[in-house]
Amino acid sequence: EKGTYPHFMLKEIDEQPLVLRKIIQKYRSEKGELEIDQEIVKAVNESDRIYIIAAGTSYHAGLVGKQFIEKLAAVPVEVHIASEFGYNMPLLSAKPLFIFISQSGETADSRAVLVQIKELGHKALTITNVPGSTLSREADFTLLLHAGPEIAVASTKAYTAQLAVLSILAEVVARSKGKEIGFDLSRELGIAANAMEILCDSKEEFEKMAHEYVSTTRNAFFIGRGVDYYVCLEGSLKLKEISYIQAEGFAGGELKHGTIALIEDGTPIIALATQESVNLSIRGNVKEVVARGANPCIISMKGLEMADDRFVIPEVHELLTPLISVIPMQLFAYYAALHRNCDVDKPRNLAKSVTVE
Ligand code: F6R
């Protein structure tokens, strides 16, 4: 039920801090350590490469998950769009492990890959919000998102839950190998939950921002580098699917290789700057588009902020910024759709789970 909320999407955005806290609790042992089924940890440790298969928002979560697993657990990861993988299968490593990320657990494109790789005799783990879903039943292992039902067609809390579960998987695998990751993940996830709350309490700011940047625009671009780029892909998907504004996410450095030709007077550019290592270079990209007339909206993180930033998110661990920086994107899309009188929870041409290939 929506309760006092006008839309499920807004309710689900607001539930994110609670969901994150629930995940920390669900994946914590009595000793207070993060914990994952030993069989899953063993399967990861026995594999030489992980193949993440997903679609849409879950694919975007996979791109960030790759960073967690490679940086913390030092296992190589490839991320594939489910609908492409089937007929364009890459050369597999000797001991692959497949991870299917799917909110619904019913996406036909992902299921087709699962059937294919099971026939080849490979192991599969499904990360899903729906216990008993097809992808969960047919895989060897399941990790649950514990996000509660997601009703709005546009995925929000499932995405942040997917990131949280992937980070926990990465940490537990790292610890099983005796690797020091150098920070306390459950503590950092707790800090991230508090930061999410602050962002959810800043709705008026994002409403103003949406009004200012995209109330009449035909298109919008999102730019970032590193994980910020992946969040830009998700931010642009959110905006296009519910507001029908043509939106694209780009890697900051790729702009000059073609996309910059699209910049006109007033084109909104939403730039994410949450990573110290690329803070200056992404700002360089913003300068390039501003020189061509773009209307920039820089969202940065505390500690990295500069004079013209439109919004500064609270500081969280640098690996975990996507859990936080996606919230301004979700709210921006929500208010943009609202301003344009779009059906926020049930956008045209879309269904909640896509059960055809
Ligand atoms: C976007 C969205 C879709 C889904 C995609 C995969 O907001 O909801 O892109 O993420 O259809 O769905 P699942 O995760 O259920 O496999």
Side-chain angles (χ1 to χ4, degrees):
E1 265 314 297
K2 284 202 290 253
T4 55
Y5 282 94
H7 298 100
F8 280 107
M9 183 178 177
L10 195 61
K11 172 171 179 271
E12 289 161 7
I13 290 173
D14 262 355
E15 282 169 356
Q16 292 176 107
L18 270 177
V19 170
L20 182 50
R21 290 187 186 115
K22 185 164 176 198
I23 290 171
I24 302 168
Q25 184 207 330
K26 289 274 182 192
Y27 284 97
R28 197 153 47 192
S29 71
E30 277 167 13
K31 281 195 298 181
E33 283 179 336
L34 291 170
E35 187 179 48
I36 295 250
D37 179 358
Q38 276 311 307
E39 287 294 305
I40 297 175
V41 178
K42 191 163 155 257
V44 175
N45 281 328
E46 283 172 356
S47 74
D48 61 355
R49 183 173 288 258
I50 289 174
Y51 294 80
I52 292 180
I53 310 290
T57 290
S58 298
Y59 169 73
H60 296 155
L63 294 171
V64 178
K66 170 184 161 82
Q67 305 297 314
F68 295 157
I69 297 170
E70 292 195 336
K71 292 197 169 132
L72 301 181
V75 181
V77 181
E78 288 180 23
V79 193
H80 292 272
I81 293 173
S83 61
E84 285 290 305
F85 189 90
Y87 65 88
N88 199 13
M89 199 184 289
L91 257 188
L92 298 181
S93 66
K95 289 178 279 178
L97 172 69
F98 283 81
I99 300 183
F100 292 85
I101 306 178
S102 176
Q103 188 285 129
S104 63
E106 301 297 342
T107 298
D109 289 322
S110 299
R111 167 138 198 271
V113 178
L114 176 59
V115 169
Q116 227 177 340
I117 63 104
K118 290 305 307 171
E119 270 166 18
L120 294 172
H122 300 311
K123 286 228 153 67
L125 157 67
T126 290
I127 299 180
T128 183
N129 202 24
V130 184
S133 57
T134 307
L135 285 168
S136 167
R137 279 185 280 110
E138 296 182 0
D140 301 272
F141 318 105
T142 297
L143 287 175
L144 290 177
L145 297 176
H146 300 293
E150 193 181 63
I151 310 290
V153 164
S155 184
T156 53
K157 62 178 179 173
Y159 171 82
T160 43
Q162 286 161 346
L163 299 190
V165 170
L166 285 160
S167 72
I168 293 170
L169 175 65
E171 192 264 0
V172 174
V173 170
R175 198 153 22 88
S176 77
K177 294 172 151 186
K179 257 185 109 262
E180 233 343 296
I181 65 162
F183 64 97
D184 177 347
L185 180 65
S186 40
R187 181 171 173 272
E188 296 298 336
L189 287 172
I191 293 172
N194 296 343
M196 280 177 165
E197 221 149 60
I198 293 171
L199 293 175
C200 290
D201 287 342
S202 311
K203 290 191 188 70
E204 278 171 29
E205 196 51 38
F206 301 119
E207 184 170 10
K208 263 195 263 162
M209 227 153 93
H211 189 62
E212 194 179 315
Y213 286 91
V214 291
S215 58
T216 57
T217 190
R218 198 164 51 85
N219 54 12
F221 298 109
F222 293 73
I223 61 169
R225 287 172 179 251
V227 285
D228 287 339
Y229 164 48
Y230 303 141
V231 177
C232 284
L233 294 177
E234 175 57 10
S236 66
L237 177 59
K238 284 292 90 92
L239 185 64
K240 64 187 138 189
E241 72 176 322
I242 62 169
S243 77
Y244 318 138
I245 295 168
Q246 193 213 340
E248 300 303 333
F250 293 105
E254 264 302 280
L255 267 179
K256 59 184 171 296
H257 298 289
T259 313
I260 202 159
L262 291 170
I263 306 296
E264 297 172 347
D265 235 13
T267 305
I269 294 272
I270 295 95
L272 260 189
T274 75
Q275 301 293 306
E276 192 176 6
S277 58
V278 291
N279 194 25
L280 294 180
S281 48
I282 192 66
R283 287 165 189 285
N285 297 136
V286 172
K287 284 203 187 91
E288 290 158 16
V289 291
V290 167
R292 286 151 181 96
N295 185 16
C297 172
I298 303 179
I299 299 174
S300 66
M301 188 172 73
K302 195 147 182 18
L304 303 176
E305 72 268 37
M306 292 188 188
D308 294 330
D309 295 356
R310 186 64 170 74
F311 193 88
V312 181
I313 64 173
E315 188 175 0
V316 296
H317 190 280
E318 64 171 2
L319 262 188
L320 302 182
T321 59
L323 283 145
I324 310 306
S325 57
V326 76
I327 293 178
M329 307 277 171
Q330 296 168 343
L331 286 167
F332 188 79
Y334 174 78
Y335 287 112
L338 217 58
H339 278 302
R340 292 179 171 232
N341 288 318
C342 300
D343 187 346
V344 171
D345 283 339
K346 287 201 182 65
R348 69 185 182 204
N349 309 341
L350 287 169
K352 183 65 185 161
S353 64
V354 185
T355 50
V356 289
E357 274 179 56

